[in-house]
Amino acid sequence: EDKVVQSPLSLVVHEGDTVTLNCSYEVTNFRSLLWYKQEKKAPTFLFMLTSSGIEKKSGRLSSILDKKELFSILNITATQTGDSAVYLCAVTDPTTSGTYKYIFGTGTRLKVLA
Amino acid sequence: DGGITQSPKYLFRKEGQNVTLSCEQNLNHDAMYWYRQDPGQGLRLIYYSQIVNDFQKGDIAEGYSVSREKKESFPLTVTSAQKNPTAFYLCASLERGGADTQYFGPGTRLTVL
């Protein structure tokens, strides 16, 4: 059975700390891995990773994929209270007719204290 | 503005009633998805549709039904057969053959009284 596992499930840090969120996966057909941030409603897209070892970066957030070991990490440096959210990892599984099925992990709930 | 809309934002239902959640997109996307999210859990796929008049069951389709009569619309009906329907429901769309990024609607929170 395809699955995506995220750890830790929750995390509480203080502003300025650096955090690392983990996502491991076991899927039959892998196309890409995506990270989303979900604050209160709809998830918003952060990164899409398809190639091993290439870091994607956006401001204080960065992510990297290891296709050999089947995992990805999301790093947030100098955390701020606005980073408090649930971070979701998803893996795309291509279907036979050209679109994708998404397999989501349970998410990591991050709380950043002032 | 292009995007995905879901209505209503909050919905209350009595046990034994069917209820339909609306999802509309004007992004001209071919594929549309319905997910359910429970507290402390990720998104679980209910149904998805790759083109008009076609849809497939996801991992937790029991007690739900969908239709895809128009490209823009993918309504989800929560039937009385769904034993635990209280949850947050998210609709998403994707451009077929495009990038992998799904666009999400704002969600509907369904509470069964």
Side-chain angles (χ1 to χ4, degrees), chain A residues 45-87:
Chain A
F45 171 76
L46 294 174
F47 298 112
M48 183 180 81
L49 303 150
T50 55
S51 302
S52 259
I54 297 176
E55 186 182 47
K56 292 276 182 97
K57 202 168 168 62
S58 175
R60 297 177 293 103
L61 278 67
S62 64
S63 184
I64 197 159
L65 174 67
D66 185 329
K67 287 171 77 172
K68 184 179 175 188
E69 300 297 330
L70 308 182
F71 79 91
S72 172
I73 60 171
L74 174 69
N75 274 323
I76 309 174
T77 59
T79 51
Q80 303 171 357
T81 54
D83 295 326
S84 296
V86 175
Y87 290 85

mmCIF file of all heavy atoms in Angstrom, chain A residues 45-87:
data_model
loop_
_atom_site.group_PDB
_atom_site.id
_atom_site.type_symbol
_atom_site.label_atom_id
_atom_site.label_comp_id
_atom_site.label_asym_id
_atom_site.label_seq_id
_atom_site.Cartn_x
_atom_site.Cartn_y
_atom_site.Cartn_z
ATOM 1 N N PHE A 45 0.769 25.993 -1.744
ATOM 2 C CA PHE A 45 1.918 25.286 -2.291
ATOM 3 C C PHE A 45 3.228 25.934 -1.859
ATOM 4 O O PHE A 45 3.358 27.165 -1.866
ATOM 5 C CB PHE A 45 1.806 25.297 -3.816
ATOM 6 C CG PHE A 45 3.014 24.791 -4.544
ATOM 7 C CD1 PHE A 45 3.276 23.442 -4.597
ATOM 8 C CD2 PHE A 45 3.877 25.671 -5.172
ATOM 9 C CE1 PHE A 45 4.387 22.968 -5.274
ATOM 10 C CE2 PHE A 45 4.983 25.209 -5.855
ATOM 11 C CZ PHE A 45 5.240 23.857 -5.905
ATOM 12 N N LEU A 46 4.202 25.106 -1.478
ATOM 13 C CA LEU A 46 5.532 25.596 -1.141
ATOM 14 C C LEU A 46 6.565 25.164 -2.186
ATOM 15 O O LEU A 46 7.208 25.989 -2.823
ATOM 16 C CB LEU A 46 5.961 25.072 0.239
ATOM 17 C CG LEU A 46 5.166 25.583 1.436
ATOM 18 C CD1 LEU A 46 5.604 24.857 2.701
ATOM 19 C CD2 LEU A 46 5.308 27.091 1.596
ATOM 20 N N PHE A 47 6.744 23.848 -2.315
ATOM 21 C CA PHE A 47 7.781 23.327 -3.209
ATOM 22 C C PHE A 47 7.307 22.068 -3.917
ATOM 23 O O PHE A 47 6.508 21.316 -3.383
ATOM 24 C CB PHE A 47 9.039 22.917 -2.413
ATOM 25 C CG PHE A 47 9.717 24.021 -1.689
ATOM 26 C CD1 PHE A 47 9.711 24.058 -0.309
ATOM 27 C CD2 PHE A 47 10.390 25.016 -2.382
ATOM 28 C CE1 PHE A 47 10.356 25.075 0.382
ATOM 29 C CE2 PHE A 47 11.035 26.034 -1.716
ATOM 30 C CZ PHE A 47 11.015 26.069 -0.317
ATOM 31 N N MET A 48 7.877 21.862 -5.090
ATOM 32 C CA MET A 48 7.746 20.590 -5.775
ATOM 33 C C MET A 48 9.148 20.081 -6.083
ATOM 34 O O MET A 48 9.980 20.829 -6.604
ATOM 35 C CB MET A 48 6.964 20.716 -7.073
ATOM 36 C CG MET A 48 6.760 19.391 -7.761
ATOM 37 S SD MET A 48 5.845 19.519 -9.289
ATOM 38 C CE MET A 48 7.116 20.035 -10.419
ATOM 39 N N LEU A 49 9.396 18.822 -5.775
ATOM 40 C CA LEU A 49 10.718 18.229 -5.954
ATOM 41 C C LEU A 49 10.572 16.988 -6.820
ATOM 42 O O LEU A 49 9.712 16.150 -6.581
ATOM 43 C CB LEU A 49 11.309 17.823 -4.593
ATOM 44 C CG LEU A 49 11.406 18.965 -3.582
ATOM 45 C CD1 LEU A 49 11.263 18.444 -2.181
ATOM 46 C CD2 LEU A 49 12.751 19.646 -3.750
ATOM 47 N N THR A 50 11.431 16.899 -7.815
ATOM 48 C CA THR A 50 11.410 15.722 -8.675
ATOM 49 C C THR A 50 12.773 15.056 -8.761
ATOM 50 O O THR A 50 12.857 13.863 -9.029
ATOM 51 C CB THR A 50 10.955 16.074 -10.100
ATOM 52 O OG1 THR A 50 11.795 17.119 -10.606
ATOM 53 C CG2 THR A 50 9.519 16.552 -10.111
ATOM 54 N N SER A 51 13.827 15.801 -8.555
ATOM 55 C CA SER A 51 15.176 15.252 -8.717
ATOM 56 C C SER A 51 15.885 15.176 -7.384
ATOM 57 O O SER A 51 15.771 16.074 -6.552
ATOM 58 C CB SER A 51 15.979 16.144 -9.660
ATOM 59 O OG SER A 51 15.334 16.239 -10.900
ATOM 60 N N SER A 52 16.652 14.134 -7.225
ATOM 61 C CA SER A 52 17.407 13.951 -5.988
ATOM 62 C C SER A 52 18.501 14.986 -5.855
ATOM 63 O O SER A 52 19.168 15.335 -6.831
ATOM 64 C CB SER A 52 18.071 12.576 -5.996
ATOM 65 O OG SER A 52 17.357 11.679 -5.221
ATOM 66 N N GLY A 53 18.709 15.440 -4.632
ATOM 67 C CA GLY A 53 19.887 16.229 -4.320
ATOM 68 C C GLY A 53 19.838 17.683 -4.726
ATOM 69 O O GLY A 53 20.769 18.426 -4.462
ATOM 70 N N ILE A 54 18.744 18.107 -5.348
ATOM 71 C CA ILE A 54 18.679 19.513 -5.762
ATOM 72 C C ILE A 54 17.806 20.251 -4.765
ATOM 73 O O ILE A 54 16.629 19.942 -4.590
ATOM 74 C CB ILE A 54 18.089 19.632 -7.181
ATOM 75 C CG1 ILE A 54 19.013 18.927 -8.167
ATOM 76 C CG2 ILE A 54 17.897 21.102 -7.551
ATOM 77 C CD1 ILE A 54 18.499 18.898 -9.573
ATOM 78 N N GLU A 55 18.399 21.235 -4.099
ATOM 79 C CA GLU A 55 17.681 21.963 -3.067
ATOM 80 C C GLU A 55 16.803 23.040 -3.698
ATOM 81 O O GLU A 55 17.242 23.797 -4.558
ATOM 82 C CB GLU A 55 18.666 22.606 -2.097
ATOM 83 C CG GLU A 55 17.993 23.268 -0.893
ATOM 84 C CD GLU A 55 18.990 23.938 0.039
ATOM 85 O OE1 GLU A 55 19.870 24.670 -0.467
ATOM 86 O OE2 GLU A 55 18.891 23.719 1.260
ATOM 87 N N LYS A 56 15.566 23.075 -3.220
ATOM 88 C CA LYS A 56 14.682 24.179 -3.606
ATOM 89 C C LYS A 56 14.655 25.147 -2.427
ATOM 90 O O LYS A 56 14.584 24.729 -1.271
ATOM 91 C CB LYS A 56 13.268 23.666 -3.883
ATOM 92 C CG LYS A 56 13.162 22.798 -5.125
ATOM 93 C CD LYS A 56 13.002 23.625 -6.352
ATOM 94 C CE LYS A 56 12.844 22.775 -7.596
ATOM 95 N NZ LYS A 56 11.456 22.592 -7.983
ATOM 96 N N LYS A 57 14.698 26.442 -2.734
ATOM 97 C CA LYS A 57 14.794 27.423 -1.664
ATOM 98 C C LYS A 57 13.856 28.581 -1.933
ATOM 99 O O LYS A 57 13.708 29.039 -3.068
ATOM 100 C CB LYS A 57 16.240 27.923 -1.604
ATOM 101 C CG LYS A 57 16.658 28.517 -0.292
ATOM 102 C CD LYS A 57 18.159 28.708 -0.267
ATOM 103 C CE LYS A 57 18.590 29.574 0.900
ATOM 104 N NZ LYS A 57 18.274 29.035 2.215
ATOM 105 N N SER A 58 13.215 29.053 -0.858
ATOM 106 C CA SER A 58 12.379 30.236 -0.965
ATOM 107 C C SER A 58 12.459 30.974 0.356
ATOM 108 O O SER A 58 11.848 30.568 1.352
ATOM 109 C CB SER A 58 10.928 29.829 -1.269
ATOM 110 O OG SER A 58 10.099 30.967 -1.269
ATOM 111 N N GLY A 59 13.260 32.020 0.372
ATOM 112 C CA GLY A 59 13.441 32.778 1.609
ATOM 113 C C GLY A 59 14.054 31.922 2.695
ATOM 114 O O GLY A 59 15.132 31.349 2.501
ATOM 115 N N ARG A 60 13.348 31.798 3.804
ATOM 116 C CA ARG A 60 13.880 31.020 4.933
ATOM 117 C C ARG A 60 13.540 29.540 4.826
ATOM 118 O O ARG A 60 13.937 28.748 5.680
ATOM 119 C CB ARG A 60 13.299 31.595 6.234
ATOM 120 C CG ARG A 60 13.703 33.036 6.524
ATOM 121 C CD ARG A 60 13.036 33.577 7.773
ATOM 122 N NE ARG A 60 11.576 33.705 7.582
ATOM 123 C CZ ARG A 60 10.689 32.867 8.064
ATOM 124 N NH1 ARG A 60 11.067 31.814 8.786
ATOM 125 N NH2 ARG A 60 9.407 33.065 7.863
ATOM 126 N N LEU A 61 12.790 29.161 3.815
ATOM 127 C CA LEU A 61 12.396 27.767 3.648
ATOM 128 C C LEU A 61 13.230 27.109 2.565
ATOM 129 O O LEU A 61 13.555 27.734 1.549
ATOM 130 C CB LEU A 61 10.917 27.666 3.248
ATOM 131 C CG LEU A 61 9.878 27.750 4.347
ATOM 132 C CD1 LEU A 61 9.840 29.114 5.001
ATOM 133 C CD2 LEU A 61 8.508 27.367 3.819
ATOM 134 N N SER A 62 13.571 25.855 2.806
ATOM 135 C CA SER A 62 14.283 25.087 1.786
ATOM 136 C C SER A 62 13.890 23.625 1.916
ATOM 137 O O SER A 62 13.461 23.170 2.985
ATOM 138 C CB SER A 62 15.798 25.248 1.926
ATOM 139 O OG SER A 62 16.233 24.721 3.162
ATOM 140 N N SER A 63 14.054 22.901 0.812
ATOM 141 C CA SER A 63 13.670 21.501 0.820
ATOM 142 C C SER A 63 14.559 20.724 -0.125
ATOM 143 O O SER A 63 15.052 21.264 -1.122
ATOM 144 C CB SER A 63 12.209 21.357 0.394
ATOM 145 O OG SER A 63 11.807 20.002 0.481
ATOM 146 N N ILE A 64 14.746 19.456 0.190
ATOM 147 C CA ILE A 64 15.579 18.594 -0.639
ATOM 148 C C ILE A 64 14.980 17.196 -0.653
ATOM 149 O O ILE A 64 14.299 16.792 0.284
ATOM 150 C CB ILE A 64 17.033 18.606 -0.137
ATOM 151 C CG1 ILE A 64 17.988 18.069 -1.205
ATOM 152 C CG2 ILE A 64 17.169 17.849 1.171
ATOM 153 C CD1 ILE A 64 19.417 18.501 -0.990
ATOM 154 N N LEU A 65 15.238 16.494 -1.723
ATOM 155 C CA LEU A 65 14.680 15.160 -1.916
ATOM 156 C C LEU A 65 15.810 14.144 -2.070
ATOM 157 O O LEU A 65 16.818 14.427 -2.734
ATOM 158 C CB LEU A 65 13.817 15.149 -3.186
ATOM 159 C CG LEU A 65 13.240 13.830 -3.685
ATOM 160 C CD1 LEU A 65 12.200 13.290 -2.721
ATOM 161 C CD2 LEU A 65 12.640 14.012 -5.074
ATOM 162 N N ASP A 66 15.634 12.992 -1.458
ATOM 163 C CA ASP A 66 16.576 11.882 -1.633
ATOM 164 C C ASP A 66 15.790 10.694 -2.179
ATOM 165 O O ASP A 66 15.098 10.006 -1.435
ATOM 166 C CB ASP A 66 17.232 11.535 -0.290
ATOM 167 C CG ASP A 66 18.309 10.467 -0.422
ATOM 168 O OD1 ASP A 66 18.204 9.589 -1.312
ATOM 169 O OD2 ASP A 66 19.253 10.479 0.367
ATOM 170 N N LYS A 67 15.864 10.473 -3.477
ATOM 171 C CA LYS A 67 15.058 9.420 -4.106
ATOM 172 C C LYS A 67 15.608 8.024 -3.830
ATOM 173 O O LYS A 67 14.888 7.039 -3.942
ATOM 174 C CB LYS A 67 14.980 9.661 -5.609
ATOM 175 C CG LYS A 67 14.077 10.829 -5.950
ATOM 176 C CD LYS A 67 14.167 11.222 -7.403
ATOM 177 C CE LYS A 67 13.407 10.293 -8.301
ATOM 178 N NZ LYS A 67 13.352 10.824 -9.683
ATOM 179 N N LYS A 68 16.860 7.950 -3.443
ATOM 180 C CA LYS A 68 17.430 6.638 -3.118
ATOM 181 C C LYS A 68 16.894 6.162 -1.770
ATOM 182 O O LYS A 68 16.496 5.010 -1.615
ATOM 183 C CB LYS A 68 18.944 6.737 -3.091
ATOM 184 C CG LYS A 68 19.644 5.406 -2.863
ATOM 185 C CD LYS A 68 21.148 5.562 -2.874
ATOM 186 C CE LYS A 68 21.822 4.238 -2.518
ATOM 187 N NZ LYS A 68 23.280 4.399 -2.326
ATOM 188 N N GLU A 69 16.904 7.078 -0.806
ATOM 189 C CA GLU A 69 16.432 6.733 0.536
ATOM 190 C C GLU A 69 14.942 7.018 0.731
ATOM 191 O O GLU A 69 14.401 6.764 1.780
ATOM 192 C CB GLU A 69 17.241 7.491 1.593
ATOM 193 C CG GLU A 69 18.731 7.191 1.562
ATOM 194 C CD GLU A 69 19.034 5.731 1.863
ATOM 195 O OE1 GLU A 69 18.267 5.092 2.622
ATOM 196 O OE2 GLU A 69 20.032 5.207 1.321
ATOM 197 N N LEU A 70 14.295 7.557 -0.265
ATOM 198 C CA LEU A 70 12.844 7.796 -0.269
ATOM 199 C C LEU A 70 12.402 8.742 0.841
ATOM 200 O O LEU A 70 11.487 8.431 1.639
ATOM 201 C CB LEU A 70 12.077 6.466 -0.166
ATOM 202 C CG LEU A 70 12.452 5.378 -1.169
ATOM 203 C CD1 LEU A 70 11.562 4.161 -0.961
ATOM 204 C CD2 LEU A 70 12.347 5.860 -2.594
ATOM 205 N N PHE A 71 13.045 9.902 0.906
ATOM 206 C CA PHE A 71 12.578 10.883 1.872
ATOM 207 C C PHE A 71 12.899 12.288 1.402
ATOM 208 O O PHE A 71 13.712 12.509 0.495
ATOM 209 C CB PHE A 71 13.164 10.615 3.260
ATOM 210 C CG PHE A 71 14.585 11.079 3.432
ATOM 211 C CD1 PHE A 71 14.862 12.357 3.907
ATOM 212 C CD2 PHE A 71 15.634 10.237 3.124
ATOM 213 C CE1 PHE A 71 16.170 12.783 4.052
ATOM 214 C CE2 PHE A 71 16.942 10.657 3.280
ATOM 215 C CZ PHE A 71 17.216 11.932 3.745
ATOM 216 N N SER A 72 12.238 13.223 2.081
ATOM 217 C CA SER A 72 12.489 14.633 1.834
ATOM 218 C C SER A 72 12.493 15.355 3.178
ATOM 219 O O SER A 72 11.872 14.890 4.139
ATOM 220 C CB SER A 72 11.383 15.216 0.949
ATOM 221 O OG SER A 72 11.509 16.624 0.847
ATOM 222 N N ILE A 73 13.197 16.471 3.240
ATOM 223 C CA ILE A 73 13.145 17.315 4.422
ATOM 224 C C ILE A 73 12.768 18.732 4.019
ATOM 225 O O ILE A 73 13.072 19.187 2.915
ATOM 226 C CB ILE A 73 14.461 17.317 5.223
ATOM 227 C CG1 ILE A 73 15.616 17.812 4.371
ATOM 228 C CG2 ILE A 73 14.748 15.950 5.811
ATOM 229 C CD1 ILE A 73 16.891 18.040 5.165
ATOM 230 N N LEU A 74 12.080 19.381 4.933
ATOM 231 C CA LEU A 74 11.744 20.795 4.784
ATOM 232 C C LEU A 74 12.391 21.530 5.954
ATOM 233 O O LEU A 74 12.140 21.185 7.109
ATOM 234 C CB LEU A 74 10.227 20.995 4.813
ATOM 235 C CG LEU A 74 9.727 22.438 4.805
ATOM 236 C CD1 LEU A 74 10.013 23.101 3.462
ATOM 237 C CD2 LEU A 74 8.223 22.493 5.087
ATOM 238 N N ASN A 75 13.250 22.476 5.645
ATOM 239 C CA ASN A 75 13.925 23.260 6.669
ATOM 240 C C ASN A 75 13.340 24.662 6.728
ATOM 241 O O ASN A 75 13.076 25.278 5.690
ATOM 242 C CB ASN A 75 15.412 23.411 6.337
ATOM 243 C CG ASN A 75 16.219 22.245 6.844
ATOM 244 O OD1 ASN A 75 15.957 21.705 7.908
ATOM 245 N ND2 ASN A 75 17.214 21.847 6.074
ATOM 246 N N ILE A 76 13.148 25.142 7.937
ATOM 247 C CA ILE A 76 12.746 26.532 8.133
ATOM 248 C C ILE A 76 13.747 27.153 9.101
ATOM 249 O O ILE A 76 13.892 26.694 10.239
ATOM 250 C CB ILE A 76 11.326 26.660 8.713
ATOM 251 C CG1 ILE A 76 10.334 25.831 7.897
ATOM 252 C CG2 ILE A 76 10.903 28.135 8.734
ATOM 253 C CD1 ILE A 76 8.931 25.802 8.492
ATOM 254 N N THR A 77 14.457 28.183 8.655
ATOM 255 C CA THR A 77 15.431 28.849 9.515
ATOM 256 C C THR A 77 14.811 30.124 10.087
ATOM 257 O O THR A 77 13.845 30.668 9.536
ATOM 258 C CB THR A 77 16.703 29.208 8.735
ATOM 259 O OG1 THR A 77 16.337 30.073 7.656
ATOM 260 C CG2 THR A 77 17.378 27.974 8.173
ATOM 261 N N ALA A 78 15.357 30.578 11.191
ATOM 262 C CA ALA A 78 14.913 31.825 11.833
ATOM 263 C C ALA A 78 13.386 31.888 11.884
ATOM 264 O O ALA A 78 12.767 32.834 11.385
ATOM 265 C CB ALA A 78 15.486 33.026 11.086
ATOM 266 N N THR A 79 12.780 30.892 12.498
ATOM 267 C CA THR A 79 11.319 30.781 12.487
ATOM 268 C C THR A 79 10.646 32.017 13.073
ATOM 269 O O THR A 79 11.177 32.691 13.962
ATOM 270 C CB THR A 79 10.861 29.548 13.273
ATOM 271 O OG1 THR A 79 11.478 29.564 14.565
ATOM 272 C CG2 THR A 79 11.195 28.272 12.550
ATOM 273 N N GLN A 80 9.444 32.279 12.558
ATOM 274 C CA GLN A 80 8.611 33.395 13.009
ATOM 275 C C GLN A 80 7.242 32.855 13.395
ATOM 276 O O GLN A 80 6.857 31.755 12.958
ATOM 277 C CB GLN A 80 8.474 34.427 11.878
ATOM 278 C CG GLN A 80 9.799 34.961 11.381
ATOM 279 C CD GLN A 80 9.660 35.799 10.124
ATOM 280 O OE1 GLN A 80 8.572 35.945 9.565
ATOM 281 N NE2 GLN A 80 10.768 36.362 9.660
ATOM 282 N N THR A 81 6.491 33.635 14.152
ATOM 283 C CA THR A 81 5.165 33.154 14.569
ATOM 284 C C THR A 81 4.268 32.882 13.359
ATOM 285 O O THR A 81 3.410 32.006 13.403
ATOM 286 C CB THR A 81 4.481 34.156 15.502
ATOM 287 O OG1 THR A 81 4.446 35.433 14.869
ATOM 288 C CG2 THR A 81 5.248 34.275 16.827
ATOM 289 N N GLY A 82 4.505 33.592 12.278
ATOM 290 C CA GLY A 82 3.726 33.375 11.055
ATOM 291 C C GLY A 82 4.008 32.048 10.372
ATOM 292 O O GLY A 82 3.285 31.663 9.450
ATOM 293 N N ASP A 83 5.030 31.353 10.828
ATOM 294 C CA ASP A 83 5.315 30.023 10.275
ATOM 295 C C ASP A 83 4.455 28.952 10.934
ATOM 296 O O ASP A 83 4.447 27.801 10.480
ATOM 297 C CB ASP A 83 6.794 29.660 10.482
ATOM 298 C CG ASP A 83 7.733 30.564 9.715
ATOM 299 O OD1 ASP A 83 7.368 31.012 8.607
ATOM 300 O OD2 ASP A 83 8.845 30.846 10.234
ATOM 301 N N SER A 84 3.745 29.318 11.986
ATOM 302 C CA SER A 84 2.878 28.353 12.671
ATOM 303 C C SER A 84 1.811 27.865 11.708
ATOM 304 O O SER A 84 1.053 28.649 11.137
ATOM 305 C CB SER A 84 2.215 28.994 13.885
ATOM 306 O OG SER A 84 3.190 29.365 14.841
ATOM 307 N N ALA A 85 1.763 26.557 11.508
ATOM 308 C CA ALA A 85 0.853 25.970 10.522
ATOM 309 C C ALA A 85 1.019 24.459 10.569
ATOM 310 O O ALA A 85 1.874 23.926 11.276
ATOM 311 C CB ALA A 85 1.161 26.476 9.115
ATOM 312 N N VAL A 86 0.201 23.777 9.758
ATOM 313 C CA VAL A 86 0.419 22.359 9.488
ATOM 314 C C VAL A 86 1.143 22.272 8.150
ATOM 315 O O VAL A 86 0.718 22.891 7.172
ATOM 316 C CB VAL A 86 -0.911 21.589 9.425
ATOM 317 C CG1 VAL A 86 -0.667 20.139 9.011
ATOM 318 C CG2 VAL A 86 -1.624 21.639 10.768
ATOM 319 N N TYR A 87 2.212 21.521 8.114
ATOM 320 C CA TYR A 87 2.982 21.345 6.880
ATOM 321 C C TYR A 87 2.705 19.941 6.348
ATOM 322 O O TYR A 87 2.922 18.944 7.041
ATOM 323 C CB TYR A 87 4.470 21.566 7.139
ATOM 324 C CG TYR A 87 4.752 23.022 7.416
ATOM 325 C CD1 TYR A 87 4.599 23.544 8.698
ATOM 326 C CD2 TYR A 87 5.122 23.889 6.393
ATOM 327 C CE1 TYR A 87 4.814 24.890 8.956
ATOM 328 C CE2 TYR A 87 5.338 25.229 6.637
ATOM 329 C CZ TYR A 87 5.176 25.719 7.922
ATOM 330 O OH TYR A 87 5.378 27.057 8.160
#
